[in-house]
Amino acid sequence: MNEFELIRRYFRRHTDAPASVVVGVGDDAAVIAHTPGCETVVSVDSVIAGRHVPLICSGEGFAQRLLARGVSDLAAMGATPRYLLLSLTLPNFDSGWVDPFAERFHQLAVQWGLHLIGGDTTRGPLSAQVTVIGELPAGSALRRGGARAGDVVWMVGEPLGGARAYLDVLDGSVPDHPVWSARYWHPNPLIAEGQALREQATACIDVSDGLCQDLMHVLEAAVEPLVAELYTDAVPIAADVIEVFGAERALEYALTGGDEYCLLCTLPTGVTPSVPAEAIGELVTAETPGLRLDGEALPSDWQLGWDHSR
Amino acid sequence: MNEFELIRRYFRRHTDAPASVVVGVGDDAAVIAHTPGCETVVSVDSVIAGRHVPLICSGEGFAQRLLARGVSDLAAMGATPRYLLLSLTLPNFDSGWVDPFAERFHQLAVQWGLHLIGGDTTRGPLSAQVTVIGELPAGSALRRGGARAGDVVWMVGEPLGGARAYLDVLDGSVPDHPVWSARYWHPNPLIAEGQALREQATACIDVSDGLCQDLMHVLEAAVEPLVAELYTDAVPIAADVIEVFGAERALEYALTGGDEYCLLCTLPTGVTPSVPAEAIGELVTAETPGLRLDGEALPSDWQLGWDHSR
């Protein structure tokens, strides 16, 4: 199956396009109408070096992790997802993998409000990129940099630790666990929650690299040096992670594990989030940005979050 | 060097951002102001499976081929390049490769009118994706589907064949050749030419897969079945390609070789393009879309263009 057949078969579905999609899949680039009298053109392209690598996961799981990563970024800005482009690189054509990939991809695009407007396919080591485009009322974006001393740190989303615990399943050190597996393979970005926080949060970020590391990004982006004081008892940790790994390791997994796709935000003292959330700490002025846990430095053996370039 | 250091060092340059860039590199997504009262959010993300592959080309060449592919798509729509996102996957950190990659990348972004607003970096087999965003007056996009019987087929750009000839240099079957090397590694998208054609062309496409194959895309997108009658003598072919490979092979390379990044467009009879161009054929009605060369079917042993999924 060549590139053009692949696009025709899997990615040119005749669903109803929004009126603002002037040109969708199948031209050199996509065209979106915005300002009256002006249109935006979007394209995504890839260059791949080398050709191998086995297919290491199911099409469904790959699709959901891929889309969730992009959409969670939009959620963390408070944006409404609108358009989507896919760049897909496959080592070979295996319909047993691509069929469920495409099925889940389109199902989630509909569910999360995205319309596929373009992309490309290439042969090479399995990989994919999504470009997601969202919209916002002017000036309402939830940015990283607005946190202030006195703000309370809130976490929005399911109790933490399952996605990190699943890495131990993958390397064979603990038995399979359906809840962690789902947490890892089927993340759900918090789109509505992000939108609800637009009028409230001073800063917001999604936890893709690990709560501590992502919170550090918020601190580093702030205009004044801040320390986040976190409280162990307040951090929501999945009960089954505590059960299997013990309280200490479970806390480490919750605070440093990536791929959770919850939202971490800061709100002024006295403001309660309009969505279910847990207050897990507060921000205080300091000499240099940093994190403290129950008034102490973080354990020195913790690996502070997940670095995707490592 | 980790992901965050990599972004800071190479991709967060404090150049003057256009006023329409509300949020640029360094947040969960980029925010662009469009319609008064509405903003667009853009993000690009990647998921990479597996980790190896040697670095097979220079950073400069990789950067230029990468950016040119995306920008040429905008040129083929007649759009003005505006914004850019980069997704970069590196097998390891090698400043001897990344430094010249980043240098060329930023130099070309400025030259071609693009402002970098986001992206991500990952470790894995060397690959990169760019998302390019352009703008257009409403309704002026050069689309693939507007060709009509009687239209003349025009080619805009340098004489063809050098990029394909360079593949024979790469596989060692002919000696190195600086002109073909430059043609392959340093393509230049025809941005101004695409814009100039907006008021004239009925259809337009860039030659990334091969002239014949890309012309077939134009024919397949037309509302009526069309055959393109091409004339050998009219096809601009690089003289040094004819010299080394002979007229017959040079013609094949010119008509089927990819990566040329010239523009192929159709204009009504009697309309002369406002940019330098060669008339290489004409469109006639037919039962099914197809290509003919000097009144004959294409040679059966030609491989019709480059399929990037092959």
Side-chain angles (χ1 to χ4, degrees):
Chain A
M1 174 166 297
N2 71 23
E3 177 179 6
F4 311 109
E5 290 160 354
L6 196 70
I7 292 169
R8 257 193 297 272
R9 175 157 161 192
Y10 290 102
F11 302 109
R12 200 176 293 177
R13 299 204 172 177
H14 293 284
T15 49
D16 287 339
S20 53
V21 175
V22 181
V23 179
V25 175
D27 215 307
D28 295 293
V31 179
I32 312 166
H34 275 285
T35 319
C38 196
E39 293 170 350
T40 295
V41 182
V42 191
S43 170
V44 62
D45 258 301
S46 55
V47 166
I48 302 291
R51 312 189 164 202
H52 22 170
V53 165
L55 301 168
I56 55 156
C57 66
S58 76
E60 293 98 335
F62 193 91
Q64 186 147 356
R65 280 177 65 78
L66 173 68
L67 262 182
R69 263 195 85 187
V71 174
S72 184
D73 280 334
L74 295 184
M77 304 298 285
T80 303
R82 292 294 304 272
Y83 311 107
L84 175 64
L85 298 96
L86 169 68
S87 174
L88 179 64
T89 304
L90 294 172
N92 52 49
F93 180 75
D94 169 9
S95 66
W97 194 91
V98 181
D99 285 359
F101 171 85
E103 199 50 50
R104 177 65 59 93
F105 184 86
H106 289 293
Q107 179 232 316
L108 291 176
V110 169
Q111 183 179 327
W112 294 341
L114 292 157
H115 186 82
L116 184 69
I117 55 171
D120 69 351
T121 63
T122 315
R123 176 168 292 203
L126 176 65
S127 71
Q129 291 73 36
V130 285
T131 298
V132 291
I133 300 179
E135 285 182 348
L136 277 172
S140 71
L142 282 171
R143 302 172 64 161
R144 289 187 185 176
R148 289 168 300 208
D151 283 358
V152 174
V153 181
W154 295 84
M155 201 214 86
V156 179
E158 298 292 311
L160 301 164
R164 174 61 187 84
Y166 187 69
L167 296 183
D168 287 3
V169 173
L170 282 180
D171 77 11
S173 57
V174 296
D176 197 8
H177 189 295
V179 176
W180 305 343
S181 168
R183 186 84 176 153
Y184 181 88
W185 287 117
H186 305 139
N188 283 291
L190 303 175
I191 302 168
E193 289 80 354
Q195 291 171 355
L197 290 166
R198 279 204 307 249
E199 312 253 300
Q200 298 189 302
T202 51
C204 186
I205 194 169
D206 69 319
V207 175
S208 52
D209 296 330
L211 191 147
C212 284
Q213 181 144 299
D214 288 315
L215 185 51
M216 273 305 294
H217 293 322
V218 170
L219 301 176
E220 286 164 356
V223 291
E224 52 181 333
L226 295 171
V227 158
E229 295 279 4
L230 300 176
Y231 302 105
T232 301
D233 290 350
V235 176
I237 306 176
D240 45 23
V241 175
I242 299 176
E243 198 176 297
V244 171
F245 293 93
E248 202 173 325
R249 177 67 64 88
L251 179 69
E252 178 184 350
Y253 280 13
L255 290 181
T256 66
D259 294 322
E260 290 282 355
Y261 300 111
C262 59
L263 297 178
L264 199 60
C265 57
T266 56
L267 273 72
T269 320
V271 180
T272 307
S274 58
V275 293
E278 297 292 331
I280 62 169
E282 58 196 323
L283 302 182
V284 297
T285 49
E287 294 283 306
T288 55
L291 300 174
R292 293 171 64 82
L293 188 59
D294 300 329
E296 310 274 339
L298 294 185
S300 59
D301 59 335
W302 280 15
Q303 206 164 41
L304 199 65
W306 176 248
D307 174 359
H308 289 91
S309 73
R310 202 159 46 203
Chain B
M1 174 166 296
N2 72 24
E3 178 179 7
F4 310 110
E5 289 162 356
L6 197 70
I7 292 169
R8 258 193 298 270
R9 174 156 161 192
Y10 290 103
F11 302 110
R12 198 177 292 176
R13 298 202 174 180
H14 294 283
T15 50
D16 286 339
S20 53
V21 175
V22 181
V23 179
V25 175
D27 214 308
D28 295 293
V31 178
I32 312 166
H34 276 285
T35 321
C38 196
E39 293 172 349
T40 295
V41 181
V42 191
S43 171
V44 61
D45 258 302
S46 55
V47 167
I48 303 289
R51 311 189 166 203
H52 23 171
V53 165
L55 299 169
I56 57 159
C57 66
S58 76
E60 293 96 336
F62 192 92
Q64 187 148 355
R65 280 178 64 78
L66 172 70
L67 260 183
R69 266 196 83 187
V71 174
S72 185
D73 280 333
L74 295 184
M77 305 298 287
T80 304
R82 293 292 305 273
Y83 311 106
L84 173 65
L85 298 96
L86 168 68
S87 174
L88 179 63
T89 303
L90 294 172
N92 51 48
F93 180 76
D94 168 9
S95 67
W97 194 91
V98 181
D99 284 359
F101 170 86
E103 200 48 51
R104 179 66 58 94
F105 184 87
H106 288 292
Q107 179 232 316
L108 291 176
V110 169
Q111 185 178 325
W112 294 341
L114 292 157
H115 186 81
L116 183 69
I117 54 170
D120 69 352
T121 63
T122 315
R123 175 167 292 203
L126 177 65
S127 73
Q129 292 74 36
V130 284
T131 298
V132 291
I133 300 179
E135 285 183 347
L136 277 172
S140 72
L142 283 171
R143 301 171 63 160
R144 289 186 186 177
R148 289 168 301 207
D151 282 358
V152 173
V153 181
W154 296 84
M155 200 214 84
V156 180
E158 298 293 312
L160 300 166
R164 173 62 187 83
Y166 188 69
L167 296 184
D168 288 2
V169 173
L170 282 181
D171 77 11
S173 57
V174 298
D176 197 9
H177 190 294
V179 176
W180 307 342
S181 168
R183 186 83 176 151
Y184 181 87
W185 286 117
H186 304 140
N188 282 292
L190 303 175
I191 301 167
E193 289 81 353
Q195 292 171 354
L197 290 165
R198 278 203 309 246
E199 312 252 301
Q200 299 188 301
T202 52
C204 186
I205 194 168
D206 69 320
V207 175
S208 52
D209 296 331
L211 191 146
C212 285
Q213 179 144 301
D214 287 315
L215 186 51
M216 274 304 296
H217 293 322
V218 170
L219 301 176
E220 286 164 357
V223 292
E224 53 182 333
L226 297 171
V227 158
E229 296 278 5
L230 300 176
Y231 303 106
T232 300
D233 289 350
V235 177
I237 306 176
D240 45 24
V241 176
I242 298 175
E243 197 176 297
V244 172
F245 292 93
E248 202 173 325
R249 177 66 64 88
L251 180 68
E252 179 184 349
Y253 280 13
L255 291 181
T256 67
D259 294 321
E260 289 283 356
Y261 302 109
C262 60
L263 297 178
L264 198 62
C265 57
T266 57
L267 273 71
T269 320
V271 180
T272 307
S274 57
V275 294
E278 296 292 331
I280 62 169
E282 57 195 325
L283 302 183
V284 298
T285 50
E287 296 282 305
T288 53
L291 300 174
R292 292 171 66 81
L293 188 60
D294 300 327
E296 310 274 339
L298 294 185
S300 59
D301 60 336
W302 280 16
Q303 205 166 41
L304 198 65
W306 175 249
D307 174 359
H308 290 92
S309 72
R310 203 161 45 205

